[in-house]
């Protein structure tokens, strides 16, 4: 497997702010790699350093095995779709799209074929003679995306490429983007704050926060084996129980702040250690009776979300929990009391976060 992009200790500060705090990143050939982080995490800064548009304070970048630290953007063999993409206002959709291939001296036939393919992908072929000012914001973004893709560079850099699009189009473009990058064997580094987007198309995801790497892995690994409570909550949504370890070994026994006891999978925490147990909202189970790992809740709020129903629950102690249930399950009514079980195997136990749980979960 060959490496297309490798950054080592890449860092950038703006005054007191560490935008990127030393990032080691490896993207393999053909990979669709997503950097996921809340706004302000340093995604754009990272991407612009790779593109050669921001000079790092320290660290190095290799593209296709060669150092590009001293190369200008146009010599890095990259295509970059920036967050503040700009189309050439005096060019039509078509001219904007085939601009890269034209500059690279492609033949008319090659240019025509890539132009048609890209504009079909972004559903803009019928607007090919329009000028940017005649397009909606979403259309301009799709045009900019088509232009970046048509450059067919060794490395495609995308900064929130689906941001300004309406929900339906965003979903369909997600898939087409992924399909196309596989078909054209493009290596892609895509940054986004949208966890669903990341989960649905990435081969691998790097979660960053405040310029630092929290975890790197496949969508499945990040979802099922989050390294921190932040990741557990950022990919999907989770509920948290704070407590201390009663015993560990084959079963981890936790006593929470209200004296309730919970069983969790084996761990190596020590008796008395302060921990946080997390459970994804869709792994809570409506129960018939009070039993192990069960809390009685009152249903506070019900929200229909397509195939799922989202419940907000409140315990007698006043805690708020969230539960996501397939629409096929009998509905609960607001005001109703219901025992909800947190199955042992679905609990994930973490050491108590250094700066407290609230700060750990905060999305900037
Ligand atoms: P993201 O793309 O993840 O939202 P950015 O890379 O744009 O994050 O920004 C990371 C941090 O660096 C933020 O706190 C942002 O305010 C700060 N920052 C980015 N660019 C500049 C700049 N040119 N001057 C000062 N601060 C900046
Ligand atoms: Mg950004």
């Amino acid at each position: 497997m060959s490496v297309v992009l490798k950054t080592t200790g890449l860092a950038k500060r703006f005054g007191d702010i560490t935008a990127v705090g030393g990032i080691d990143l490896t993207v393999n050939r053909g990979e669709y790699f997503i950097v996921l982080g809340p706004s302000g995490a340093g995604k754009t800064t990272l991407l612009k350093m790779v593109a050669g548009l921001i000079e790092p304070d320290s660290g190095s970048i290799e593209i296709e095995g060669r150092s590009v630290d001293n190369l200008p953007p146009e010599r890095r063999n990259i295509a970059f779709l920036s967050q503040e993409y700009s189309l050439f206002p005096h060019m039509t959709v078509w001219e904007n799209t085939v601009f890269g291939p034209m500059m690279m001296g492609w033949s008319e036939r090659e240019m025509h074929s890539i132009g048609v393919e890209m504009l079909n992908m972004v559903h803009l072929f019928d607007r090919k003679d329009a000028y940017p000012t005649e397009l909606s914001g979403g259309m301009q973004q799709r045009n900019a995306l088509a232009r970046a893709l048509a450059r067919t560079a060794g490395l495609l850099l995308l900064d929130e490429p689906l941001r300004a699009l309406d929900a339906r189009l965003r979903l369909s473009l997600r898939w087409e983007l992924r399909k196309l990058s596989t078909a054209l064997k493009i290596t892609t580094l895509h940054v986004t704050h949208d966890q669903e987007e990341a989960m649905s198309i990435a081969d691998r995801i790097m979660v960053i926060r405040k310029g630092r790497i929290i975890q790197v892995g496949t969508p499945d690994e990040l979802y099922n084996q989050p390294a921190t409570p932040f990741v557990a909550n950022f990919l999907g949504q989770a509920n948290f129980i704070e407590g201390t370890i009663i015993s560990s070994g084959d079963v981890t026994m936790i006593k929470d702040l209200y004296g309730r006891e919970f069983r969790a999978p084996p761990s190596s925490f020590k008796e008395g250690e302060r921990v946080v147990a997390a459970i994804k909202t869709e792994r809570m189970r409506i129960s018939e009776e009070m039993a192990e790992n069960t809390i009685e809740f009152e249903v506070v709020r019900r929200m229909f979300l397509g195939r799922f129903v989202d419940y907000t629950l409140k315990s007698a102690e006043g805690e708020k929990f969230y539960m996501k249930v397939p629409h096929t399950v009998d509905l609960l009514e607001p005001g109703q009391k219901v025992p909800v079980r947190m199955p042992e195997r679905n609990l994930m136990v973490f050491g108590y976060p250094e700066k407290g749980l609230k700060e750990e979960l905060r999305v900037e």
Side-chain angles (χ1 to χ4, degrees), residues 203-249:
D203 291 317
R204 280 193 303 152
I205 299 172
M206 172 187 276
V207 178
I208 66 167
R209 191 185 184 201
K210 296 178 181 157
R212 304 200 182 272
I213 300 174
I214 309 289
Q215 190 173 4
V216 184
T218 63
D220 182 67
E221 282 163 355
L222 294 196
Y223 198 78
N224 291 307
Q225 299 156 53
T228 66
F230 177 79
V231 177
N233 197 45
F234 196 53
L235 287 99
Q237 192 190 4
N239 297 298
F240 294 90
I241 298 167
E242 296 182 41
T244 50
I245 298 288
I246 302 173
S247 63
S248 66

Side-chain angles (χ1 to χ4, degrees), residues 153-209:
L155 177 62
L156 178 63
L157 306 174
L158 302 173
D159 195 350
E160 313 254 8
L162 307 176
R163 189 187 66 255
L165 307 174
D166 75 61
R168 188 178 293 264
L169 199 58
R170 198 159 64 225
L171 287 184
S172 83
L173 276 188
R174 247 187 221 170
W175 287 111
E176 300 202 35
L177 199 53
R178 175 66 235 221
K179 230 170 53 192
L180 197 83
S181 79
T182 307
L184 299 177
K185 298 193 173 64
I186 300 174
T187 305
T188 308
L189 177 60
H190 168 153
V191 312
T192 182
H193 68 278
D194 182 335
Q195 56 91 14
E196 218 182 85
E197 184 174 306
M199 292 283 288
S200 61
I201 57 180
D203 291 317
R204 280 193 303 152
I205 299 172
M206 172 187 276
V207 178
I208 66 167
R209 191 185 184 201

Side-chain angles (χ1 to χ4, degrees), residues 14-15 17-20 37-46 54 83 159-160 191 208:
F14 295 106
I17 298 168
T18 300
V20 174
S39 131
K43 304 180 296 294
T44 296
T45 307
L46 174 64
I54 290 182
Q83 205 171 340
D159 195 350
E160 313 254 8
V191 312
I208 66 167

